[in-house]
Amino acid sequence: MADSVLDFYDQLAEDYHLLFADWRRSIAHQGQVLDRLLDTELGPGPHAVLDASCGIGTQALGLALLGHRVHATDLSPASVQRAEREAVSLGVPLTTGVADLRTLDTEVPGTFDAVLSCDNALPHLLSDEELRNTTRAVAAKLRPGGLFLASIRDYERLLDERPRATQPQVIDSPEGRRLVFQVWDWAEDGHSYTFSLFIVRQRGEHWETSERRTVYRTLRRATLEEALGAAGFTHLRWHEPTESGFYQPIVTARR
């Protein structure tokens, strides 16, 4: 995992909500989608959930609002601090900690009914060794029969298309007008890409631009499935956005 990952999320923590037209609505929607998957796989909750790449809390807060017992961790201390503040603002119980996906087994105490890693976090693991270390660490944090749930971009499709950028999204909100878009610079071999995120905010008659940059690998489903299988996971299933209502494909696997 490149050092840029920590810098990227620490720098983005205070502005992350600006990527959404309505972040609070996204919290509620994503929580509902994940709650349905948890209930389908594990039975009715509430469940003990570890959100192991929580960011500022988009999924963790949504699940906590629905009554799940959520412990939220992330590599980025600034993101975890923001999640803590948002939990207080929403009046929901949320425990937190700073932890690396690759070493959850030594940094996070206890076991859980489910472990989450959403928002394309796993492709920050740039080598197969890092991915295997992570799937083993996740398995150690699950009770027998527990569920791992992760979302990643649809890299099979993206490798065919190799998009260079996303269309700018124009958002008008009480915080003002802004444009959000991404630029992707692909490695020649297609195994990774440099991801640049731009937020352009209107300040009176002028525009202010911020850019954050990190690196992702193009994590194919077969590669992730192999790492999960090596860690002892079974019953792997992919849930497409048209089925789940989530904005990325989701993989679920049982310990």
Side-chain angles (χ1 to χ4, degrees):
M1 187 183 294
D3 291 340
S4 68
V5 176
L6 175 58
D7 294 338
F8 178 81
Y9 288 107
D10 270 352
Q11 294 168 14
L12 186 58
E14 292 306 314
D15 290 341
Y16 191 88
H17 67 287
L18 297 175
L19 306 183
F20 301 82
D22 186 332
W23 183 57
R24 291 288 178 92
R25 180 176 295 178
S26 294
I27 288 173
H29 171 70
Q30 294 191 31
Q32 289 164 2
V33 170
L34 298 175
D35 176 67
R36 287 197 298 269
L37 281 172
L38 290 174
D39 282 1
T40 298
E41 296 288 338
L42 299 176
H47 300 291
V49 177
L50 169 62
D51 185 344
S53 52
C54 69
I56 67 169
T58 308
Q59 295 85 34
L61 294 167
L63 288 171
L65 282 165
L66 293 173
H68 296 283
R69 303 181 299 277
V70 182
H71 183 59
T73 64
D74 198 276
L75 181 71
S76 162
S79 296
V80 172
Q81 290 168 9
R82 174 81 190 273
E84 291 170 349
R85 298 202 311 269
E86 297 296 341
V88 172
S89 174
L90 288 168
V92 295
L94 187 73
T95 60
T96 62
V98 176
D100 190 313
L101 277 170
R102 298 165 294 184
T103 50
L104 292 174
D105 51 338
T106 60
E107 295 187 87
V108 178
T111 58
F112 301 83
D113 300 320
V115 175
L116 310 180
S117 181
C118 292
D119 290 336
N120 200 54
L122 294 181
H124 282 303
L125 304 164
L126 299 181
S127 71
D128 289 344
E129 180 182 5
E130 287 186 319
L131 183 60
R132 288 192 297 268
N133 289 342
T134 296
T135 54
R136 286 194 294 264
V138 168
K141 292 293 94 187
L142 283 168
R143 64 164 176 79
L147 181 73
F148 180 47
L149 187 156
S151 78
I152 64 172
R153 293 189 173 108
D154 185 354
Y155 284 109
E156 274 69 22
R157 177 181 61 81
L158 291 170
L159 279 165
D160 287 338
E161 300 173 358
R162 295 206 185 189
R164 295 295 308 278
T166 61
Q167 288 292 325
Q169 181 184 11
V170 181
I171 300 171
D172 290 296
S173 75
E175 294 178 272
R177 170 167 286 190
R178 60 190 179 274
L179 284 73
V180 179
F181 63 95
Q182 305 164 11
V183 174
W184 298 21
D185 290 307
W186 292 84
E188 187 173 347
D189 60 11
H191 291 166
S192 65
Y193 59 99
T194 300
F195 172 91
S196 299
L197 173 65
F198 291 85
I199 302 175
V200 186
R201 304 182 72 177
Q202 189 170 22
R203 304 292 194 185
E205 297 181 357
H206 304 284
W207 294 85
E208 177 184 283
T209 302
S210 62
E211 183 252 353
R212 284 94 171 184
R213 187 177 303 176
T214 188
V215 176
Y216 289 107
R217 73 184 291 189
T218 52
L219 180 57
R220 290 181 178 271
R221 296 187 184 194
T223 303
L224 178 53
E225 290 168 2
E226 182 180 356
L228 289 168
F233 285 95
T234 62
H235 299 87
L236 274 65
R237 182 185 172 194
W238 287 92
H239 308 260
E240 302 302 332
T242 52
E243 170 198 357
S244 70
F246 203 73
Y247 76 103
Q248 289 178 341
I250 293 173
V251 64
T252 55
R254 302 294 290 269
R255 179 177 180 275

